[in-house]
Amino acid sequence: MENYPSGSPVMVYTGGYRKVLVSSAVSYLGSYPQYDDNKRAFNARAFAAAWNGTVIPPGSEGSGKETVRFTASRDPKAPGGYASHGSCPPARALRAVVTDAGMPLPRGMTWEFHAVLFGFNPATGIKVRNTGRYPVLIEMWTTGSGAGTTIYARIYRLEPA
């Protein structure tokens, strides 16, 4: 629990519930060598690690783990000249499962291809609001490497058993 931002709601379940799959999504990193595909793959893995295992109680807002770090790539269009490129593909997967579950677009994200807004930390700056009746569990992971990285996301409802 200490890995999550202070002030974020944290719930711990050890039993008495069942995981009901609500939605799943897949996203692909692709190649943008001008931003260093290896750095982008690092950030995609970091995004998935930050959000994997996140539980958000009903009627509350949560984010990923604050202990996960991202690497910056030079980008003259970004404020400050650097951005955490590679965060948008996993953000699109997260956006897809969250909105498919009936929740609003996460704060810090857009509906655009470049899903993470500049200035928002991909782990702690993005906020998912659970508008449902049950806690939700987010699972995220990656396979592959470099530009061939594939990102997976699932969201489960944690219902009483």
Side-chain angles (χ1 to χ4, degrees):
M1 294 184 324
E2 68 187 14
N3 291 331
Y4 288 89
S6 58
S8 289
V10 177
M11 295 182 72
V12 178
Y13 283 82
T14 59
Y17 70 92
R18 67 174 187 230
K19 287 172 44 176
V20 177
L21 180 63
V22 177
S23 181
S24 62
V26 177
S27 186
Y28 304 94
L29 192 62
S31 181
Y32 292 86
Q34 67 271 32
Y35 300 123
D36 188 332
D37 287 335
N38 289 325
K39 284 184 177 181
R40 293 178 62 251
F42 177 90
N43 287 339
R45 288 189 303 274
F47 189 107
W51 284 91
N52 188 43
T54 298
V55 175
I56 305 172
S60 68
E61 190 174 73
S63 62
K65 301 170 194 76
E66 68 181 5
T67 55
V68 174
R69 299 290 174 245
F70 296 86
T71 187
S73 296
R74 182 116 179 84
D75 184 347
K77 296 176 191 166
Y82 290 88
S84 298
H85 287 292
S87 297
C88 287
R92 290 191 294 270
L94 177 65
R95 177 181 68 194
V97 296
V98 165
T99 58
D100 193 44
M103 295 178 227
L105 176 69
R107 190 162 28 119
M109 295 180 71
T110 73
W111 287 107
E112 305 299 321
F113 180 75
H114 300 292
V116 180
L117 291 168
F118 282 128
F120 283 81
N121 180 296
T124 59
I126 294 174
K127 305 290 184 184
V128 172
R129 173 155 293 283
N130 180 358
T131 55
R133 293 182 29 211
Y134 299 103
V136 294
L137 167 66
I138 296 168
E139 289 183 348
M140 291 192 77
W141 71 98
T142 65
T143 61
S145 62
T149 301
T150 303
I151 304 103
Y152 301 89
R154 290 182 185 155
I155 192 164
Y156 295 90
R157 255 190 331 267
L158 301 178
E159 297 180 356

